[in-house]
Structures are given as structure tokens and as C-alpha cells.
Amino acid sequence: MATIYDIAEKLGISPSTVSRALSGRGYCKEETRKRVMQAAEEMDYAPDQSAKMLKTRVSNKVLFTVPDMCNPFYFDMIQGINDVLDPYGYLLILMDTKNRLDEEKRAIQLLREKYADGMIMVSFHFCEENIDLLNRLQAPVVLTNKYISPVGKDHFHYVWVDTQEGIKEVVRHFASQGIRRIGYVGGRLQEQTGRERYEGYRDGLQEAKLSLRAEWIRESDYTEQGGYLAGLSLFDGSHLLPEAIICANDLMAYGFLRACEEKQIRVPEDLLLAGMDNLSLSSRTYPKLTSVSLQAEEIGRTAAEMLVRRMNGYNQPIENVKLLPELVVRDSSVSHRLTP
Amino acid sequence: MATIYDIAEKLGISPSTVSRALSGRGYCKEETRKRVMQAAEEMDYAPDQSAKMLKTRVSNKVLFTVPDMCNPFYFDMIQGINDVLDPYGYLLILMDTKNRLDEEKRAIQLLREKYADGMIMVSFHFCEENIDLLNRLQAPVVLTNKYISPVGKDHFHYVWVDTQEGIKEVVRHFASQGIRRIGYVGGRLQEQTGRERYEGYRDGLQEAKLSLRAEWIRESDYTEQGGYLAGLSLFDGSHLLPEAIICANDLMAYGFLRACEEKQIRVPEDLLLAGMDNLSLSSRTYPKLTSVSLQAEEIGRTAAEMLVRRMNGYNQPIENVKLLPELVVRDSSVSHRLTP
DNA sequence: CTGAAAGCGCTAACAC
DNA sequence: GTGTTAGCGCTTTCAG
């Protein structure tokens, strides 16, 4: 592959002139510029990015990490991120951290090694360890969870949705229909995301003066299969079944639906169901799934916008954006019985 | 950020020794290695990728380009690609070419500039222009269409699914139920993908001795919205409606379903419907959508495997893999009437 | 086993 | 307007 030196030599000029001609920065006679352009074309020249990066210290890449590649939610986020980043010429590096701390640390390491200029990170669990590494980092980072480390002085931005409020809203939705036995399928309680949503459930019940019963609660992993297994396990007991189930995300709700189908439990006739994420799928399942919209695309867009501002070097104060969840009621959560 | 020079200076040794110690290549006394490691740790050292790349000429990145980021089909492909690439430490750069030639050319240009070591490219339309650029390229490329350029001597691999056969299979499926009026919603006929699938439809009809009527055919763009509009337009005419519709992909079929819903046309009672891609969604829509499985994940996996082999420098002969489509029959395409 | 030195391809300050 | 020169941070011969 030809370099600017080859072009310079061929034209009998200096490499720096070639560089100026090609980049358009710095003075250069129009005529020489034309000659350079033509020679570059003829010699099939293409600038070498690694050399450019080494010199300029920018990679024009953004790292986006997700805890589960299989979840379409992140795909929706990508749309938003890409919408914003593309016009700036940023490339997107996609990484699946598989909800594992070591992979998240690896992502952070990639940033340290300047694989990318910035990162948007989705994690179920921000903890001292990864937060600490993030704070050490020079590069701009945007998280999609609310997180304020005990120490304070955080170096990252975040955009977040009040999922706790979202789940509470679902509880209210059920309670307003006179439902009293509400079950819950969530994520791991040790994880931030899992705890937040669970607390929404718990507080929602309390607010509605409903009782919380362990046999109606399952801890799962946000996957379709996890929701399916949680469903089977719930139906397995000899205890009184709940009248309604809240799944902490749509994927689990789909799995739960599958379990219902298998066990001949009709939704919404025998059991009401709601999820969270409002995947585009949810308006097409049968029955159509009630879900809390988290505005995936909007999260992506907002996160990307914050990141771009930050990467453009405006050493802005750390900003955080809160987005509001919105309950989208569909068939799966509406009781056909008359409300009392 | 500390460099190997800083470490060398601090330890009073040479940078090359530091480099050897860190990389593990070349001789290095165990003791010095330990000292280097510790100093690196203390000084918060991280190797600079651009410098490394400039020297080694490898980026450890693979570019994946899709014609429409909104289509979940590519998301499934990513799963497969990532499964294969991740163990090798390759990072994935995702790019949306928006089904535009100029963006495809931009992707090829990225490869020329060594943004990535190789590329997997999905395009609806390989033509002389982009194929020519691909053939000029030094870097390994895998396409997901069958393509043999007129000139021969192609430099890229491809993995492909016989979509033509897949569509024919759908026609047979309908014909075997005694259906005679079969309509079609496809992509642009000027594009490779659009033409292939259309020909499957055309030949399938011929094979079954059914007539092809222009008023039952719509040219669309593989999006949900496109399918919706095609549906409306089909129902708009005063002509006799077809008994069954084949959509060239699932996304259009979903849109078509929406149009049916709106026009109070029941599927499958009033109209039979089938799509192609077999998105995971299709088993959950109402009615469940019959679809031709193209094995997205398998395509991704296969493409990635070919690419890795190629990138590992084994200057292997160009290989091509053909995958077989498989018709997955669900509710949307099965007539409730007795077959004659 | 270690060090000196060249060079990957580009940019940019500075000199002319 | 153009050329000279010195890096960016790393790897890798080649000497020692």
C-alpha cells in the first residue's frame, strides 16, 4: 500500500506537502493539491488509520457494552446511539460483557488502551470495583444506570430511567383493578438493577396495602429461558397462585407466557401479566403484552449525545439525565372480570 | 499515561527490555520481568493500541455491515458472529450502510484504511462497482450473498442461503393446499436480493402451473412500514384479492399483518400469509407467522469462521458455503377450509 | 539476557 | 507555499 512518502517521491515534493494537500489543513497551492490528489488516486493511496491515530490521539470509535447481546432492548439502544454518532463519523464497537465483571473490566481496559475515544456502558451491576476503574479512566464514559459512588466526585455521566417508579406504576395498575395477589419475577437482588426493580415492587405493594409473599416471587436472569423456568417453578407449588405477575423485563415475560401456554394457564383470563422494556415485539405477542416503556432508543440517543459533548473536549460538568418510564397497557394485564 | 519509556527510565533499563517483558516475546530474566510488571502496575501503564497497530499491522477488529440496522435478522447474525470472533479476541465494529452504495463504499474504504482486519458484509445489492472495490481490497471479506463476478477471480468468500428455493417452497406449500391465487411482496427487482426472491416466486408459480398477476405483486423495501403500505395498496384495488401472500421477509409480513388488522382481513381465515427470515418474533405474533428460516445465527457463525481462517493468513482457496433454507409452517399459512 | 537504533505512516512546528 | 525535522509509542532486528 502506498504511503505519503511514495506520493511525495513520485511528485518530487515533500511528504508534509502531501499531508497538507490531502488533509486540507495548512497552506497548499491549488495546483500541487490537484497533482497530489491525482497521484493518490492513481497509486491507490489510503491513509493509515493507526499512524493517524498514533499522531492525533483520536480513534473515532465509541465502545458500547451490553450485558446480554440476546436482548433486543440493546438493539433498540443501538439505533439511537448510531443515529447520533454516525453524523459525527464515529464508528461503533459493540461488546457483550455477558453480565460478567471480568468482561466489564476488559471493556474498561480497552478504553485505557485507546481502542475507543469513549464508552457507553450498560451493566446490571455497578459496584465499587468497576466504578473505581471507570473513575480512574481518562476517557469519557456514559452509564445507563443511576450511580453515585460513596466517595463522590464521579467522572462519568449517566442517563437513567426510574425503573422503580415504573414497576410501582404496574402494581398500581393491577391494584386499581382490584387485584390483590401480585407476584414478581425479577433479577438477582444482589445486583443493582435487580434490587431497584424489586424495591419498586415491594414499595408498590406496600403503598397499595397488599401483602408480599415469598412464594410468589422468583429470582431470575432477564432471559426468555429464565422467565420460562420461573413460570414453571411458580406453577409447580401447591400454594395459591397469584392473580397477576410482574416480570422485570419483557424477555422474561415472553418466557413466562410460554410457561403459561404449556401449563394451560390463560393470560389474561386466568392470570394477568406485565413486563418491562416495551420491546417492539410486545405489541405483537399473543396476548399483547402490557409493558413499561423504558425508551431504549431515547436512552441510546441521550447517552450518545452526552458522550459526544464530552468527547469534543468541552470539559463540561458531569451531567445526568433522568428519563421517565411509561406504562403501556395492552391485553395481557387487563382483567375481563368486572372490577369489584 | 505512562509509556514503556517511563517504565524503562524508572527501572534504569531499556525500553526494549520492557517491551519484551510485557509481551512475553523474546528473552527476559524472570526477575526483570517481575520488576517491569510491578512498575507497570504502579504507574498505571496501558499499552497504546495505535502504536502497537502501526507496528504490527493488525487491528484485532472486524467490520460487520448491514443494510438496515432496524432489522432484527442482523441482530441474530451478530450473535453468531460474536460467538466465533470473541474467543479470538476480535472486536466487532458495527456499521449500518442503510442500503446505500455510497455507505458500502465507505465501509470498504474503512478497510483500506486499516480500521479493521476483515469484514463481513451484508448487502441487498452487490454490483460491479462495490464488487470491484472488494476485489481490489487486500483484506479478507466474506459476503452473505452468492456472487460470482463476470470477470471471475473473485477475492472474497461468501456464505449464502438459497432464498429462491425457499420462496419456491412456500409456493408449493400454498399450492398443496389448493390455493391458486398467490400474491407477493418483495424488494426492488433491480437489486440482487429482490430479484432472486422474486424469481423464486415466479418459478414456483410456473412449477405449480399458477398464473402470475401484476396486481398481486408489490415492490417494497424490507421494512415493516413498507410491508404495511404494500398491504394497504393491495387491498385498495377493486380487483379480486389473492388467497395467499408471500412476503420476502418477516418484517414486511408484520407490516402486512398490521394492514390486514386495519382492514379487518383475518389471517389465516380470509388470507394466508408467509414470510422469510424466521425471526424469533415470528413464533410469537398473532397469528404465528409461517416463515422460511434462513438461519441467521448460522450464517453469522459460518461467515465469521471463514473470515477468521482467512485472517489467520492461511492463504486458502476461496471457499463458499451454501446453507439450506427451511420452511417453518405456523398458523398464518394454514387454510382452515377443507382442501379440495 | 539486555541495549541501541531503526522504523511503522502520519502530523505539525518551524525554518526557509 | 513548501521542505526539514522531530516525534507519537511500540516492536524488532542486530550487537554486545
Side-chain angles (χ1 to χ4, degrees):
Chain A
M1 181 62 80
T3 71
I4 53 170
Y5 285 92
D6 301 330
I7 299 180
E9 194 177 359
K10 178 171 180 187
L11 262 40
I13 59 179
S14 83
S16 45
T17 304
V18 177
S19 172
R20 278 192 296 262
L22 290 169
S23 71
R25 274 186 299 277
Y27 299 100
C28 180
K29 213 200 295 175
E30 181 56 24
E31 191 211 323
T32 35
R33 208 186 63 79
K34 282 224 175 95
R35 287 177 57 216
V36 168
M37 289 310 204
Q38 190 185 339
E41 173 87 355
E42 281 168 14
M43 302 173 74
D44 202 31
Y45 169 82
D48 183 289
Q49 277 313 309
S50 36
K52 203 173 237 173
M53 273 167 60
L54 180 57
K55 189 67 193 175
T56 62
R57 323 267 61 200
V58 295
S59 70
N60 289 313
K61 279 170 228 110
V62 163
L63 184 58
F64 178 47
T65 77
V66 301
D68 174 21
M69 230 14 161
C70 293
N71 193 330
F73 184 78
Y74 305 117
F75 201 48
D76 292 343
M77 276 189 69
I78 293 180
Q79 320 285 341
I81 293 175
N82 212 50
D83 276 359
V84 174
L85 256 33
D86 195 55
Y88 291 95
Y90 284 112
L91 254 31
L92 195 67
I93 301 182
L94 187 60
M95 179 169 166
D96 186 359
T97 57
K98 306 178 186 70
N99 192 23
R100 275 166 35 190
L101 185 59
D102 60 329
E103 287 289 309
E104 290 178 1
K105 284 159 78 176
R106 194 182 134 215
I108 296 170
Q109 179 64 16
L110 289 177
L111 227 60
R112 298 209 324 128
E113 301 188 3
K114 304 211 178 55
Y115 267 97
D117 301 330
M119 164 166 78
I120 297 174
M121 185 171 230
V122 184
S123 171
F124 293 145
H125 191 46
F126 287 115
C127 54
E128 274 202 46
E129 192 166 359
N130 49 17
I131 287 292
D132 190 49
L133 288 170
L134 288 173
N135 273 328
R136 286 183 140 78
L137 216 47
Q138 296 304 314
V141 172
V142 178
L143 310 183
T144 62
N145 293 50
K146 176 170 180 165
Y147 192 94
I148 302 169
S149 45
V151 197
K153 291 296 250 169
D154 288 322
H155 286 175
F156 47 83
H157 300 225
Y158 58 79
V159 40
W160 65 294
V161 185
D162 193 340
T163 54
Q164 200 163 331
E165 184 52 33
I167 298 276
K168 271 173 150 177
E169 189 66 28
V170 182
V171 175
R172 283 184 212 118
H173 165 64
F174 284 139
S176 74
Q177 295 181 69
I179 302 297
R180 304 194 56 78
R181 306 196 305 277
I182 305 176
Y184 180 76
V185 178
R188 302 185 59 215
L189 291 183
Q190 292 94 319
E191 292 174 352
Q192 188 192 3
T193 300
R195 201 169 43 243
E196 266 174 27
R197 300 188 185 189
Y198 171 76
E199 284 168 2
Y201 167 67
R202 187 196 57 193
D203 296 355
L205 288 187
Q206 196 158 31
E207 199 180 82
K209 305 217 185 337
L210 299 178
S211 55
L212 180 152
R213 290 176 50 173
E215 64 264 36
W216 295 338
I217 299 176
R218 290 295 180 278
E219 206 171 297
S220 184
D221 62 358
Y222 303 106
T223 67
E224 201 265 358
Q225 182 66 9
Y228 171 72
L229 295 176
L232 293 187
S233 129
L234 244 163
F235 299 142
D236 211 29
S238 51
H239 55 77
L240 181 66
L241 286 184
E243 303 161 90
I245 293 286
I246 300 173
C247 287
N249 78 349
D250 282 2
L251 232 40
M252 291 196 290
Y254 301 152
F256 199 94
L257 266 179
R258 185 153 60 92
C260 291
E261 217 170 290
E262 216 174 285
K263 292 292 182 183
Q264 318 247 358
I265 292 172
R266 294 167 307 165
V267 175
E269 290 82 353
D270 305 329
L271 181 72
L272 302 181
L273 185 66
M276 171 168 254
D277 276 356
N278 194 31
L279 303 181
S280 58
L281 247 119
S282 296
S283 60
R284 296 219 176 74
T285 49
Y286 183 74
K288 291 180 178 159
L289 183 70
T290 290
S291 185
V292 178
S293 167
L294 262 32
Q295 308 189 71
E297 212 174 314
E298 187 59 25
I299 298 178
R301 214 186 327 271
T302 308
E305 277 161 1
M306 291 166 97
L307 192 66
V308 168
R309 273 198 294 274
R310 199 84 198 284
M311 289 190 303
N312 281 352
Y314 308 122
N315 215 348
Q316 300 180 326
I318 297 303
E319 46 173 338
N320 309 303
V321 173
K322 173 178 173 174
L323 297 177
L324 291 178
E326 190 188 349
L327 180 65
V328 180
V329 176
R330 301 199 182 87
D331 304 339
S332 71
S333 72
V334 179
S335 171
H336 289 191
R337 295 173 307 180
L338 294 174
T339 50
Chain B
M1 181 63 80
T3 72
I4 52 170
Y5 285 91
D6 301 329
I7 299 180
E9 195 176 356
K10 178 171 180 185
L11 263 41
I13 59 180
S14 82
S16 42
T17 303
V18 177
S19 171
R20 279 191 296 262
L22 257 20
S23 71
R25 275 186 298 278
Y27 298 100
C28 181
K29 213 200 295 174
E30 182 55 24
E31 191 212 321
T32 34
R33 208 186 62 79
K34 281 225 176 94
R35 288 177 58 216
V36 168
M37 289 311 204
Q38 190 184 338
E41 173 87 356
E42 281 168 15
M43 302 174 74
D44 202 32
Y45 169 82
D48 184 289
Q49 277 312 311
S50 35
K52 204 173 236 173
M53 273 168 60
L54 180 56
K55 192 66 193 176
T56 62
R57 321 270 59 202
V58 295
S59 70
N60 290 313
K61 278 168 229 114
V62 164
L63 184 59
F64 179 47
T65 77
V66 301
D68 173 21
M69 211 54 134
C70 293
N71 193 329
F73 184 77
Y74 305 117
F75 201 49
D76 292 343
M77 274 189 70
I78 294 181
Q79 319 286 340
I81 293 175
N82 211 51
D83 277 358
V84 173
L85 255 33
D86 195 56
Y88 291 95
Y90 283 111
L91 253 31
L92 195 67
I93 301 181
L94 187 60
M95 180 169 165
D96 186 0
T97 58
K98 306 179 185 68
N99 192 24
R100 275 165 36 190
L101 184 58
D102 59 330
E103 287 288 309
E104 291 179 0
K105 283 158 79 174
R106 193 181 134 216
I108 296 169
Q109 180 64 16
L110 288 177
L111 227 61
R112 298 210 323 128
E113 301 187 3
K114 305 210 177 59
Y115 268 96
D117 301 330
M119 166 167 76
I120 297 174
M121 186 171 229
V122 184
S123 172
F124 294 146
H125 190 46
F126 287 115
C127 55
E128 274 201 45
E129 191 166 359
N130 50 18
I131 286 292
D132 190 48
L133 288 169
L134 288 173
N135 273 328
R136 285 183 142 78
L137 216 46
Q138 297 303 315
V141 172
V142 178
L143 310 183
T144 62
N145 293 50
K146 176 170 181 165
Y147 192 94
I148 303 169
S149 46
V151 196
K153 291 297 251 170
D154 287 322
H155 286 175
F156 48 83
H157 300 226
Y158 57 79
V159 40
W160 65 295
V161 185
D162 193 339
T163 53
Q164 200 163 331
E165 183 54 33
I167 298 276
K168 271 174 150 174
E169 190 67 27
V170 182
V171 176
R172 283 184 211 118
H173 165 63
F174 283 138
S176 74
Q177 295 181 69
I179 303 296
R180 305 194 55 79
R181 307 196 305 276
I182 304 176
Y184 180 76
V185 177
R188 303 185 58 215
L189 291 182
Q190 292 94 319
E191 293 174 351
Q192 188 192 4
T193 299
R195 202 169 44 244
E196 266 174 28
R197 300 187 185 188
Y198 171 76
E199 284 168 1
Y201 166 68
R202 188 196 58 194
D203 296 355
L205 288 187
Q206 197 158 30
E207 199 180 81
K209 305 217 186 336
L210 300 178
S211 55
L212 180 151
R213 291 177 49 175
E215 63 264 37
W216 295 339
I217 298 176
R218 290 296 179 277
E219 206 171 296
S220 185
D221 61 357
Y222 303 106
T223 68
E224 200 266 357
Q225 182 66 7
Y228 170 72
L229 295 175
L232 293 186
S233 130
L234 244 164
F235 300 142
D236 212 29
S238 52
H239 56 78
L240 181 66
L241 285 183
E243 303 162 90
I245 292 286
I246 300 173
C247 287
N249 78 350
D250 281 3
L251 232 41
M252 292 196 290
Y254 301 151
F256 199 95
L257 266 179
R258 184 153 61 92
C260 290
E261 217 169 290
E262 216 173 285
K263 292 293 182 185
Q264 317 248 357
I265 291 171
R266 293 167 309 165
V267 175
E269 291 82 353
D270 305 330
L271 181 72
L272 302 181
L273 185 65
M276 172 169 253
D277 276 355
N278 195 30
L279 303 182
S280 58
L281 250 117
S282 296
S283 60
R284 297 219 177 75
T285 48
Y286 183 74
K288 291 180 178 159
L289 183 70
T290 290
S291 185
V292 179
S293 167
L294 262 33
Q295 308 187 69
E297 211 174 316
E298 186 60 27
I299 297 178
R301 214 186 326 271
T302 308
E305 278 161 2
M306 290 166 98
L307 191 66
V308 167
R309 272 197 295 274
R310 200 83 198 285
M311 288 190 304
N312 280 351
Y314 308 123
N315 214 350
Q316 301 179 327
I318 297 303
E319 46 173 337
N320 309 304
V321 173
K322 173 178 173 175
L323 297 176
L324 291 179
E326 190 188 349
L327 180 64
V328 180
V329 176
R330 302 199 182 88
D331 303 339
S332 72
S333 72
V334 178
S335 172
H336 288 190
R337 295 174 309 182
L338 293 173
T339 50

